[in-house]
Short mmCIF file of all heavy atoms in Angstrom, two decimals:
data_model
loop_
_atom_site.label_atom_id
_atom_site.label_comp_id
_atom_site.label_asym_id
_atom_site.label_seq_id
_atom_site.Cartn_x
_atom_site.Cartn_y
_atom_site.Cartn_z
N GLY A 1978 -10.86 -21.26 -20.83
CA GLY A 1978 -9.79 -20.33 -21.27
C GLY A 1978 -8.64 -21.00 -21.82
O GLY A 1978 -8.29 -22.17 -21.57
N LEU A 1979 -7.70 -20.18 -22.57
CA LEU A 1979 -6.49 -20.73 -23.13
C LEU A 1979 -5.35 -20.05 -22.35
O LEU A 1979 -5.31 -18.76 -22.27
CB LEU A 1979 -6.45 -20.27 -24.53
CG LEU A 1979 -7.20 -21.10 -25.63
CD1 LEU A 1979 -6.86 -20.46 -26.95
CD2 LEU A 1979 -6.69 -22.46 -25.63
N ASP A 1980 -4.52 -20.81 -21.94
CA ASP A 1980 -3.26 -20.31 -21.30
C ASP A 1980 -2.25 -19.99 -22.52
O ASP A 1980 -1.84 -21.05 -23.18
CB ASP A 1980 -2.62 -21.31 -20.28
CG ASP A 1980 -1.38 -20.78 -19.73
OD1 ASP A 1980 -1.14 -19.57 -19.66
OD2 ASP A 1980 -0.56 -21.51 -19.24
N LEU A 1981 -1.78 -18.83 -22.66
CA LEU A 1981 -0.83 -18.50 -23.78
C LEU A 1981 0.55 -18.30 -23.26
O LEU A 1981 1.39 -17.80 -23.98
CB LEU A 1981 -1.40 -17.19 -24.48
CG LEU A 1981 -2.73 -17.34 -25.02
CD1 LEU A 1981 -3.28 -16.03 -25.61
CD2 LEU A 1981 -2.78 -18.38 -26.21
N GLY A 1982 0.81 -18.69 -22.02
CA GLY A 1982 2.20 -18.79 -21.58
C GLY A 1982 2.60 -17.54 -20.70
O GLY A 1982 1.92 -16.65 -20.60
N PRO A 1983 3.86 -17.78 -20.06
CA PRO A 1983 4.35 -16.68 -19.34
C PRO A 1983 4.67 -15.44 -20.14
O PRO A 1983 4.75 -15.58 -21.37
CB PRO A 1983 5.57 -17.30 -18.63
CG PRO A 1983 5.93 -18.35 -19.56
CD PRO A 1983 4.67 -18.96 -20.24
N LEU A 1984 4.87 -14.39 -19.54
CA LEU A 1984 5.34 -13.16 -20.21
C LEU A 1984 6.64 -13.30 -20.83
O LEU A 1984 7.50 -14.01 -20.18
CB LEU A 1984 5.21 -11.88 -19.29
CG LEU A 1984 3.85 -11.64 -18.44
CD1 LEU A 1984 4.02 -10.41 -17.77
CD2 LEU A 1984 2.75 -11.60 -19.50
N ALA A 1985 6.87 -12.77 -22.02
CA ALA A 1985 8.18 -12.85 -22.68
C ALA A 1985 8.68 -11.48 -23.00
O ALA A 1985 7.91 -10.49 -23.17
CB ALA A 1985 7.88 -13.67 -24.07
N PRO A 1986 9.96 -11.30 -23.05
CA PRO A 1986 10.61 -10.01 -23.44
C PRO A 1986 10.03 -9.40 -24.72
O PRO A 1986 9.91 -10.28 -25.67
CB PRO A 1986 12.06 -10.32 -23.46
CG PRO A 1986 12.17 -11.41 -22.58
CD PRO A 1986 11.08 -12.32 -22.81
N ARG A 1987 9.83 -8.14 -24.67
CA ARG A 1987 9.22 -7.56 -25.95
C ARG A 1987 9.97 -6.30 -26.45
O ARG A 1987 9.56 -5.67 -27.42
CB ARG A 1987 7.78 -7.15 -25.74
CG ARG A 1987 6.83 -8.41 -25.47
CD ARG A 1987 5.32 -8.11 -25.54
NE ARG A 1987 5.01 -7.54 -26.72
CZ ARG A 1987 4.00 -6.71 -27.02
NH1 ARG A 1987 3.14 -6.51 -25.98
NH2 ARG A 1987 3.64 -6.30 -28.13
N VAL A 1988 11.02 -5.87 -25.66
CA VAL A 1988 11.73 -4.67 -26.18
C VAL A 1988 12.79 -5.22 -27.21
O VAL A 1988 13.34 -6.18 -26.97
CB VAL A 1988 12.43 -4.11 -25.02
CG1 VAL A 1988 13.42 -3.04 -25.39
CG2 VAL A 1988 11.44 -3.47 -23.97
N PRO A 1989 13.02 -4.53 -28.22
CA PRO A 1989 12.49 -3.20 -28.65
C PRO A 1989 11.19 -3.26 -29.32
O PRO A 1989 10.60 -2.16 -29.62
CB PRO A 1989 13.68 -2.62 -29.53
CG PRO A 1989 14.19 -3.79 -30.28
CD PRO A 1989 14.06 -5.01 -29.18
N ALA A 1990 10.74 -4.38 -29.89
CA ALA A 1990 9.61 -4.35 -30.77
C ALA A 1990 8.35 -3.58 -30.20
O ALA A 1990 7.67 -3.08 -30.97
CB ALA A 1990 9.22 -5.76 -31.16
N VAL A 1991 8.29 -3.63 -28.87
CA VAL A 1991 7.03 -3.07 -28.27
C VAL A 1991 7.17 -1.53 -28.21
O VAL A 1991 6.09 -0.80 -28.09
CB VAL A 1991 7.02 -3.58 -26.80
CG1 VAL A 1991 7.99 -3.06 -25.87
CG2 VAL A 1991 5.55 -3.43 -26.31
N LEU A 1992 8.23 -1.03 -28.38
CA LEU A 1992 8.43 0.50 -28.21
C LEU A 1992 7.77 1.28 -29.43
O LEU A 1992 7.95 0.86 -30.63
CB LEU A 1992 9.97 0.84 -28.10
CG LEU A 1992 10.51 0.08 -26.87
CD1 LEU A 1992 12.06 0.41 -26.86
CD2 LEU A 1992 9.94 0.50 -25.51
N ARG A 1993 7.18 2.38 -29.20
CA ARG A 1993 6.52 3.21 -30.11
C ARG A 1993 7.06 4.74 -29.99
O ARG A 1993 6.26 5.54 -30.46
CB ARG A 1993 5.13 3.16 -29.95
CG ARG A 1993 4.42 1.72 -30.31
CD ARG A 1993 4.50 1.30 -31.75
NE ARG A 1993 3.83 0.06 -32.06
CZ ARG A 1993 4.42 -1.07 -31.96
NH1 ARG A 1993 5.66 -1.23 -31.47
NH2 ARG A 1993 3.73 -2.21 -32.22
N THR A 1994 8.06 4.98 -29.32
CA THR A 1994 8.59 6.33 -29.27
C THR A 1994 9.17 6.86 -30.55
O THR A 1994 9.52 5.98 -31.35
CB THR A 1994 9.62 6.43 -28.15
OG1 THR A 1994 10.68 5.39 -28.42
CG2 THR A 1994 9.07 6.12 -26.75
#
Side-chain angles (χ1 to χ4, degrees):
L1979 279 182
D1980 180 22
L1981 302 169
L1984 305 186
R1987 296 191 58 198
V1988 171
V1991 73
L1992 302 175
R1993 296 288 184 275
T1994 50

